[in-house]
Amino acid sequence: MFSARHCVRSSLRIATQLHSRHELPTFCALRRLKTSSSSSNEALASPSLDNVPKEYSPKIHQLVNDIAGLTLLEVSDLNELLKKTLNIKDMGMMSMDAMPVALPSSQALEEEAAPVKKEKTHFTVKLTELKAAEKVKLIKEVKNCIPGLNLVQAKKLVESLPQEIKANVSKDEAGKLKAVLEAAGGTVVLE
């Protein structure tokens, strides 16, 4: 298998040998190409450099200045007139056949814009703080709220705050427990 470098070297070697034997013309074939109707000895025109700004005709400059001075309504009218004159149809970015998903309705967009917060139905009643002056009253209320709890257990629970009093209770029951415990001197949080 030959590499590209090997092929190029071989081609140059053969071209040099043919040139030394005067079997090839002395000027490059590319220079013979005609870019205009001028003489055959003229070289190809060099491409314009990317750094050089393009020169526009005064007519183009005048059009740009006129369009830049238009108001938005005039631009809209110009757009409409050009579409009519050039027979350009209004087209979207993608045809409807190519759309993978149907467009959502305006009602669905409104629902997405304002997500509905689900109202909690079950709460956890948590005792976070207590007033030291009403500690005994709070211990009795905690004992009454939790079935099967004696006074010693209720005292330990109240002294080691924050503590969960009841979990997974309805909104009404959580509200009643909160009111009772707060009346007894505690601070209650519903989660």
Side-chain angles (χ1 to χ4, degrees), residues 130-140 155 158-159 184:
L130 70 111
K131 296 177 186 170
E134 299 178 348
K135 183 177 178 182
V136 175
K137 192 175 178 184
L138 185 60
I139 291 170
K140 287 181 182 177
K155 182 180 181 253
V158 169
E159 290 174 346

Side-chain angles (χ1 to χ4, degrees), residues 67-81:
I67 291 173
L70 296 176
T71 65
L72 287 177
L73 290 174
E74 291 170 334
V75 170
S76 174
D77 291 341
L78 174 65
N79 184 26
E80 185 179 322
L81 183 62

Side-chain angles (χ1 to χ4, degrees), residues 1 5 70 77 91 107 117-118 155 166 185 191:
M1 199 156 84
R5 182 180 285 174
L70 296 176
D77 291 341
M91 296 183 113
Q107 184 181 13
K117 292 182 181 178
K118 292 184 179 180
K155 182 180 181 253
K166 277 198 175 181
E191 296 178 345

Side-chain angles (χ1 to χ4, degrees), residues 101-116:
V101 179
L103 294 174
S105 66
S106 62
Q107 184 181 13
L109 289 175
E110 289 174 9
E111 289 174 3
E112 286 180 17
V116 178

Side-chain angles (χ1 to χ4, degrees), residues 41 62 76 93 100 107 121 141 147 162 164 168 188-189:
N41 293 334
Q62 183 61 37
S76 174
M93 294 299 288
Q107 184 181 13
T121 57
E141 284 302 325
E164 187 177 288
N168 202 20
V188 179
V189 175

Side-chain angles (χ1 to χ4, degrees), residues 26-35 39-44:
T26 57
F27 54 90
C28 181
L30 288 177
R31 292 184 186 234
R32 291 195 64 164
L33 291 174
K34 291 184 179 179
T35 57
S39 69
S40 63
N41 293 334
E42 189 177 294
L44 286 175

Side-chain angles (χ1 to χ4, degrees), residues 118-182:
K118 292 184 179 180
E119 189 175 324
K120 260 183 131 178
T121 57
H122 290 67
F123 295 89
T124 300
V125 180
K126 195 173 196 180
L127 186 62
T128 57
E129 295 177 16
L130 70 111
K131 296 177 186 170
E134 299 178 348
K135 183 177 178 182
V136 175
K137 192 175 178 184
L138 185 60
I139 291 170
K140 287 181 182 177
E141 284 302 325
V142 168
K143 179 190 173 286
N144 292 335
C145 292
I146 303 173
L149 195 66
N150 63 31
L151 279 174
V152 175
Q153 292 170 332
K155 182 180 181 253
K156 287 181 182 177
L157 190 132
V158 169
E159 290 174 346
S160 61
L161 294 179
Q163 287 291 327
E164 187 177 288
I165 303 300
K166 277 198 175 181
N168 202 20
V169 294
S170 69
K171 184 177 182 179
D172 294 335
E173 188 178 349
K176 289 176 186 175
L177 280 173
K178 181 178 180 180
V180 168
L181 293 173
E182 285 181 345

